[in-house]
Amino acid sequence: MDPKDDQLIPTRPYLIRAIRDWAMDNGLTPQLLVDANVEGIVIPGSHVQDGKIVLNVHTEAVKALELGNEFITFTTRFSGTSYSIKLPIQSILAVFA
């Protein structure tokens, strides 16, 4: 294995962005299944069920969405209350429409 391989950016953030873009391009609602127990996660705990939460990441459901290589951040509303969300990439279990 080439020593440079240790410095490669993981593919996971790219796949998350690609599947979300695909869903949006096809008029679908992109959603994230998130492991709520991962360190560094910031979510409304009252909406967690069985250690997981599903979050809608459609442009109409979020504000200031940033799909970075280490974190996904955005603002959204739950029951009319605004929340700032911070998700470490490793907390994303699935992306689906």
Side-chain angles (χ1 to χ4, degrees):
M1 180 180 249
D2 189 338
K4 289 191 304 184
D5 290 344
D6 292 337
Q7 298 172 4
L8 294 177
I9 298 169
T11 58
R12 182 178 232 169
Y14 293 89
L15 294 171
I16 292 168
R17 289 190 289 265
I19 294 170
R20 180 189 177 274
D21 287 348
W22 172 85
M24 295 289 299
D25 289 348
N26 284 283
L28 303 171
T29 301
Q31 299 186 59
L32 303 176
L33 176 62
V34 180
D35 180 349
N37 298 312
V38 171
E39 187 175 332
I41 196 167
V42 177
I43 55 170
S46 60
H47 294 276
V48 173
Q49 293 182 339
D50 298 323
K52 297 177 181 70
I53 188 169
V54 175
L55 299 169
N56 177 348
V57 288
H58 192 284
T59 53
E60 294 177 1
V62 299
K63 290 183 181 178
L65 176 65
E66 292 191 31
L67 298 165
N69 288 340
E70 295 183 32
F71 292 95
I72 296 173
T73 59
F74 56 92
T75 302
T76 193
R77 292 188 168 275
F78 286 88
S79 304
T81 303
S82 183
Y83 290 91
S84 293
I85 306 296
K86 183 177 181 182
L87 309 169
I89 289 296
Q90 65 270 23
S91 71
I92 309 303
L93 299 173
V95 184
F96 60 95

